[in-house]
Amino acid sequence: GTKNFELCTKHRRVQRMYNVPLERFIDFWDDPACENPGCYRKDSIHVDHDHRTGNFRGFLCVGCNISIGHLLESIERASGLITYVREAGME
């Protein structure tokens, strides 16, 4: 259970900074992987958070996390890029 789970100093600081529920950390360590359903990376996982609110959103690999930033956290830009990839025959 969560009673016996203890975070190291670094992860405790991250947990508090982004208000990550302890249960989410426990689940993450059971199977650390990018939470993007289209990604299967299990390395270089980062805490994803909303830059406006600071709220925790999930765990993403570095590539997916950076991609969200490059898309300026915009659904419209992400959707447009998906359309572009499909129309260019990249899928």
Side-chain angles (χ1 to χ4, degrees), residues 14 18 28-29 32-33 35 44 46 49 51 54 66 70 74 76 79 81 83 85-86 88:
V14 169
Y18 299 114
F28 172 75
W29 262 282
E35 292 181 348
S44 300
H46 292 244
H49 69 285
H51 284 257
I66 288 172
H70 285 295
S74 165
E76 184 178 356
S79 177
L81 194 54
T83 299
V85 168
R86 283 189 176 137

Side-chain angles (χ1 to χ4, degrees), residues 1-7 22 25-26 29:
T2 58
K3 275 190 203 176
N4 298 325
F5 189 86
E6 200 169 314
L7 296 171
L22 184 58
F25 262 110
I26 294 169
W29 262 282

Side-chain angles (χ1 to χ4, degrees), residues 35-88:
E35 292 181 348
N36 170 359
C39 183
Y40 304 99
R41 286 187 68 177
K42 292 186 171 275
D43 62 324
S44 300
I45 305 297
H46 292 244
V47 170
D48 177 45
H49 69 285
D50 185 311
H51 284 257
R52 288 171 287 140
T53 65
N55 291 336
F56 169 76
R57 290 190 291 217
F59 296 101
L60 294 175
C61 72
V62 66
C64 291
N65 198 20
I66 288 172
S67 295
I68 287 175
H70 285 295
L71 291 168
L72 304 175
E73 300 186 359
S74 165
I75 299 281
E76 184 178 356
R77 288 175 65 107
S79 177
L81 194 54
I82 290 168
T83 299
Y84 173 82
V85 168
R86 283 189 176 137
E87 290 176 358

